Amino acid sequence: GAGVSQSPSNKVTEKGKDVELRCDPISGHTALYWYRQSLGQGLEFLIYFQGNSAPDKSGLPSDRFSAERTGGSVSTLTIQRTQQEDSAVYLCASSLGGAMVAQHFGDGTRLSIL
Amino acid sequence: AQSVTQLGSHVSVSEGALVLLRCNYSSSVPPYLFWYVQYPNQGLQLLLKYTSAATLVKGINGFEAEFKKSETSFHLTKPSAHMSDAAEYFCAVSEGTGGFKTIFGAGTRLFVKA
Protein backbone atom coordinates (compact mmCIF):
# COMPACT_ATOMS: atom_id res chain seq x y z
CA GLY A 1 0.00 0.00 0.00
CA ALA A 2 0.96 3.63 -0.33
CA GLY A 3 3.07 5.16 2.36
CA VAL A 4 3.28 8.77 3.49
CA SER A 5 3.86 11.00 0.50
CA GLN A 6 5.47 14.42 0.64
CA SER A 7 5.80 17.00 -2.08
CA PRO A 8 7.84 18.55 -3.40
CA SER A 9 10.88 16.43 -2.60
CA ASN A 10 13.11 19.46 -3.05
CA LYS A 11 12.32 23.15 -2.94
CA VAL A 12 14.68 26.03 -3.56
CA THR A 13 13.37 29.53 -3.03
CA GLU A 14 14.56 33.02 -2.32
CA LYS A 15 14.61 34.58 1.10
CA GLY A 16 11.35 36.36 1.82
CA LYS A 17 9.16 34.14 -0.32
CA ASP A 18 6.35 31.98 1.05
CA VAL A 19 6.48 28.19 0.64
CA GLU A 20 3.93 25.43 1.01
CA LEU A 21 4.88 21.85 1.77
CA ARG A 22 2.38 19.06 1.32
CA CYS A 23 1.87 15.77 3.12
CA ASP A 24 -0.44 12.93 2.14
CA PRO A 25 -0.72 10.54 5.09
CA ILE A 26 -1.49 6.86 4.98
CA SER A 27 -5.19 6.33 4.45
CA GLY A 28 -7.01 5.82 7.75
CA HIS A 29 -4.30 7.35 9.89
CA THR A 30 -5.85 9.82 12.29
CA ALA A 31 -2.64 11.39 13.59
CA LEU A 32 -0.30 13.52 11.49
CA TYR A 33 2.99 15.08 12.58
CA TRP A 34 5.41 17.61 11.13
CA TYR A 35 9.08 17.69 12.09
CA ARG A 36 12.07 19.75 11.02
CA GLN A 37 15.44 18.08 10.61
CA SER A 38 18.45 20.35 10.46
CA LEU A 39 21.98 19.11 9.99
CA GLY A 40 23.20 17.62 13.25
CA GLN A 41 20.07 18.73 15.10
CA GLY A 42 17.93 15.62 15.12
CA LEU A 43 14.20 15.95 14.66
CA GLU A 44 12.48 19.03 15.97
CA PHE A 45 8.76 18.60 16.64
CA LEU A 46 6.67 21.27 14.95
CA ILE A 47 2.98 20.36 15.13
CA TYR A 48 0.64 17.41 15.26
CA PHE A 49 -2.98 16.79 14.39
CA GLN A 50 -5.15 14.10 15.95
CA GLY A 51 -8.57 13.53 14.46
CA ASN A 52 -10.86 16.50 14.98
CA SER A 53 -9.03 17.76 18.06
CA ALA A 54 -7.28 21.11 18.12
CA PRO A 55 -3.73 20.65 16.84
CA ASP A 56 -0.75 20.80 19.17
CA LYS A 57 1.20 23.75 17.76
CA SER A 58 3.66 24.00 20.61
CA GLY A 59 6.67 23.27 18.41
CA LEU A 60 6.16 25.93 15.75
CA PRO A 61 9.23 28.19 15.98
CA SER A 62 7.54 31.45 14.99
CA ASP A 63 4.29 32.89 13.71
CA ARG A 64 5.69 32.61 10.19
CA PHE A 65 4.96 28.89 10.41
CA SER A 66 1.46 27.49 10.15
CA ALA A 67 -0.14 24.21 9.18
CA GLU A 68 -3.56 22.93 8.37
CA ARG A 69 -5.10 19.57 7.76
CA THR A 70 -8.11 19.49 5.50
CA GLY A 71 -10.76 16.81 5.81
CA GLY A 72 -8.67 14.87 8.27
CA SER A 73 -6.30 13.84 5.51
CA VAL A 74 -3.88 16.00 3.52
CA SER A 75 -1.82 18.54 5.44
CA THR A 76 0.00 21.65 4.30
CA LEU A 77 2.83 23.32 6.18
CA THR A 78 3.26 26.96 5.21
CA ILE A 79 6.28 29.09 5.92
CA GLN A 80 5.83 32.79 5.25
CA ARG A 81 8.62 35.25 4.55
CA THR A 82 11.23 32.51 4.54
CA GLN A 83 14.61 33.07 6.19
CA GLN A 84 17.88 31.26 5.56
CA GLU A 85 17.61 29.52 8.93
CA ASP A 86 14.45 27.83 7.66
CA SER A 87 16.63 25.68 5.38
CA ALA A 88 16.17 22.09 6.53
CA VAL A 89 14.45 18.84 5.70
CA TYR A 90 10.79 18.87 6.70
CA LEU A 91 9.45 15.44 7.58
CA CYS A 92 5.84 14.42 7.85
CA ALA A 93 4.64 11.31 9.67
CA SER A 94 1.28 9.70 10.26
CA SER A 95 -0.04 7.05 12.60
CA LEU A 96 -3.21 5.40 13.82
CA GLY A 97 -3.02 7.68 16.85
CA GLY A 98 -1.89 7.02 20.39
CA ALA A 99 1.37 7.56 22.23
CA MET A 100 2.43 3.93 21.89
CA VAL A 101 1.81 3.73 18.16
CA ALA A 102 4.76 3.98 15.80
CA GLN A 103 4.82 6.74 13.22
CA HIS A 104 5.24 6.20 9.50
CA PHE A 105 7.44 8.80 7.86
CA GLY A 106 7.58 10.28 4.40
CA ASP A 107 10.91 10.90 2.68
CA GLY A 108 10.76 14.60 3.48
CA THR A 109 10.99 17.89 1.62
CA ARG A 110 14.46 19.40 1.44
CA LEU A 111 13.98 23.17 1.64
CA SER A 112 16.80 25.49 0.65
CA ILE A 113 16.52 29.23 1.13
CA LEU A 114 18.90 31.31 -0.97
CA ALA B 1 8.58 17.42 30.35
CA GLN B 2 9.96 14.52 28.41
CA SER B 3 13.40 14.53 26.84
CA VAL B 4 15.86 12.18 25.18
CA THR B 5 19.66 12.18 25.24
CA GLN B 6 21.67 10.08 22.83
CA LEU B 7 25.27 9.72 23.90
CA GLY B 8 27.62 9.99 20.96
CA SER B 9 26.70 11.70 17.73
CA HIS B 10 28.93 9.24 15.84
CA VAL B 11 29.77 5.62 16.57
CA SER B 12 32.17 3.54 14.50
CA VAL B 13 32.41 -0.25 14.69
CA SER B 14 34.02 -2.95 12.63
CA GLU B 15 31.89 -5.36 10.66
CA GLY B 16 30.99 -8.28 12.94
CA ALA B 17 31.51 -6.29 16.14
CA LEU B 18 28.92 -5.45 18.76
CA VAL B 19 26.81 -2.37 18.14
CA LEU B 20 25.79 -0.34 21.20
CA LEU B 21 23.92 2.94 20.79
CA ARG B 22 23.03 4.72 24.00
CA CYS B 23 19.79 6.47 24.86
CA ASN B 24 18.66 7.99 28.15
CA TYR B 25 15.26 9.52 28.63
CA SER B 26 13.45 11.75 31.05
CA SER B 27 9.73 11.39 31.59
CA SER B 28 7.34 12.24 34.39
CA VAL B 29 5.17 9.21 33.64
CA PRO B 30 5.93 5.72 32.36
CA PRO B 31 7.15 6.36 28.84
CA TYR B 32 6.75 4.73 25.50
CA LEU B 33 10.15 4.43 23.84
CA PHE B 34 11.13 3.94 20.24
CA TRP B 35 14.18 3.45 18.08
CA TYR B 36 14.01 4.55 14.47
CA VAL B 37 16.59 4.23 11.69
CA GLN B 38 17.13 6.66 8.85
CA TYR B 39 18.98 5.76 5.66
CA PRO B 40 20.31 8.55 3.42
CA ASN B 41 17.64 10.67 1.76
CA GLN B 42 14.85 8.67 3.32
CA GLY B 43 12.39 9.12 6.15
CA LEU B 44 12.61 7.24 9.41
CA GLN B 45 11.66 3.60 9.83
CA LEU B 46 10.68 1.94 13.07
CA LEU B 47 13.24 -0.52 14.46
CA LEU B 48 11.49 -1.39 17.70
CA LYS B 49 9.36 0.03 20.49
CA TYR B 50 8.79 -0.42 24.21
CA THR B 51 5.23 -0.12 25.46
CA SER B 52 5.47 -1.46 29.03
CA ALA B 53 5.30 -5.16 28.20
CA ALA B 54 8.61 -7.05 28.15
CA THR B 55 11.62 -4.93 29.09
CA LEU B 56 13.78 -6.59 26.43
CA VAL B 57 12.41 -5.67 23.05
CA LYS B 58 13.43 -7.31 19.81
CA GLY B 59 13.19 -5.44 16.57
CA ILE B 60 13.97 -5.83 12.92
CA ASN B 61 17.39 -6.60 11.41
CA GLY B 62 18.65 -8.28 14.60
CA PHE B 63 18.45 -5.20 16.81
CA GLU B 64 17.18 -5.25 20.36
CA ALA B 65 16.88 -2.80 23.23
CA GLU B 66 16.42 -3.14 26.95
CA PHE B 67 14.30 -0.78 29.03
CA LYS B 68 15.95 -0.10 32.39
CA LYS B 69 13.76 2.09 34.55
CA SER B 70 16.34 2.46 37.32
CA GLU B 71 18.84 3.85 34.80
CA THR B 72 16.25 5.66 32.65
CA SER B 73 17.92 4.03 29.69
CA PHE B 74 16.87 2.32 26.49
CA HIS B 75 20.12 1.36 24.77
CA LEU B 76 20.06 -0.29 21.34
CA THR B 77 22.29 -3.27 20.62
CA LYS B 78 23.10 -5.71 17.87
CA PRO B 79 25.53 -8.59 18.42
CA SER B 80 27.22 -8.40 15.03
CA ALA B 81 27.33 -5.32 12.82
CA HIS B 82 26.75 -5.55 9.11
CA MET B 83 27.77 -3.01 6.49
CA SER B 84 24.10 -2.42 5.74
CA ASP B 85 23.57 -1.18 9.32
CA ALA B 86 25.37 2.06 8.51
CA ALA B 87 22.71 4.74 9.01
CA GLU B 88 21.48 7.29 11.52
CA TYR B 89 19.59 6.04 14.54
CA PHE B 90 17.09 8.02 16.59
CA CYS B 91 15.73 7.28 20.02
CA ALA B 92 12.32 8.77 20.83
CA VAL B 93 9.97 9.05 23.78
CA SER B 94 6.28 9.76 24.01
CA GLU B 95 3.92 9.95 26.91
CA GLY B 96 0.39 8.71 27.11
CA THR B 97 -0.90 11.75 28.95
CA GLY B 98 -1.69 15.12 27.47
CA GLY B 99 -1.40 14.05 23.89
CA PHE B 100 0.78 12.07 21.56
CA LYS B 101 3.73 14.38 21.11
CA THR B 102 6.95 12.47 20.47
CA ILE B 103 10.36 13.85 21.33
CA PHE B 104 13.35 12.61 19.37
CA GLY B 105 16.99 12.52 20.33
CA ALA B 106 19.64 14.24 18.24
CA GLY B 107 20.56 10.99 16.54
CA THR B 108 23.63 8.78 16.37
CA ARG B 109 25.30 8.08 13.08
CA LEU B 110 26.65 4.55 12.88
CA PHE B 111 29.66 3.82 10.69
CA VAL B 112 30.60 0.23 9.93
CA LYS B 113 34.14 -0.50 8.83
CA ALA B 114 35.03 -3.47 6.66
Side-chain angles (χ1 to χ4, degrees):
Chain A
V4 177
S5 177
Q6 292 187 246
S7 60
S9 55
N10 286 282
K11 177 72 176 179
V12 181
T13 192
E14 294 180 347
K15 176 182 172 181
K17 301 287 189 182
D18 296 352
V19 294
E20 285 189 352
L21 312 180
R22 177 186 169 103
C23 174
D24 281 276
I26 292 173
S27 178
H29 280 191
T30 57
L32 187 148
Y33 303 77
W34 283 99
Y35 298 92
R36 180 168 67 178
Q37 185 176 26
S38 304
L39 193 62
Q41 297 295 315
L43 269 70
E44 176 188 6
F45 166 79
L46 296 177
I47 186 171
Y48 90 84
F49 301 86
Q50 170 58 41
N52 296 321
S53 302
D56 180 341
K57 304 180 182 179
S58 61
L60 295 179
S62 77
D63 58 8
R64 295 187 296 105
F65 288 73
S66 62
E68 63 177 21
R69 188 178 186 191
T70 54
S73 181
V74 172
S75 178
T76 302
L77 177 69
T78 301
I79 309 173
Q80 296 178 309
R81 305 181 302 281
T82 53
Q83 304 294 313
Q84 288 190 329
E85 60 263 29
D86 299 334
S87 296
V89 175
Y90 290 82
L91 290 168
C92 175
S94 70
S95 79
L96 290 170
M100 68 172 69
V101 177
Q103 296 172 33
H104 298 256
F105 283 79
D107 288 341
T109 293
R110 182 173 299 277
L111 177 64
S112 299
I113 309 300
L114 303 179
Chain B
Q2 54 196 355
S3 65
V4 175
T5 301
Q6 290 186 241
L7 299 177
S9 59
H10 297 84
V11 170
S12 182
V13 300
S14 298
E15 191 172 23
L18 171 71
V19 175
L20 171 60
L21 305 182
R22 299 178 186 274
C23 172
N24 287 88
Y25 69 91
S26 172
S27 176
S28 57
V29 298
Y32 302 115
L33 296 161
F34 305 81
W35 276 99
Y36 288 85
V37 60
Q38 184 180 35
Y39 298 102
N41 299 314
Q42 294 184 23
L44 280 68
Q45 303 171 33
L46 179 71
L47 272 179
L48 50 80
K49 64 179 181 180
Y50 166 77
T51 58
S52 75
T55 56
L56 181 62
V57 182
K58 295 187 183 297
I60 62 172
N61 301 338
F63 285 93
E64 62 182 37
E66 186 172 9
F67 171 70
K68 291 187 176 180
K69 183 178 179 180
S70 61
E71 299 177 8
T72 61
S73 68
F74 191 57
H75 302 331
L76 181 71
T77 61
K78 181 174 181 177
S80 177
H82 191 272
M83 297 296 289
S84 62
D85 294 327
E88 188 148 23
Y89 293 79
F90 293 92
C91 182
V93 61
S94 67
E95 295 178 347
T97 58
F100 309 145
K101 190 162 97 175
T102 302
I103 301 300
F104 285 79
T108 298
R109 184 165 294 278
L110 177 66
F111 297 91
V112 182
K113 300 174 291 186

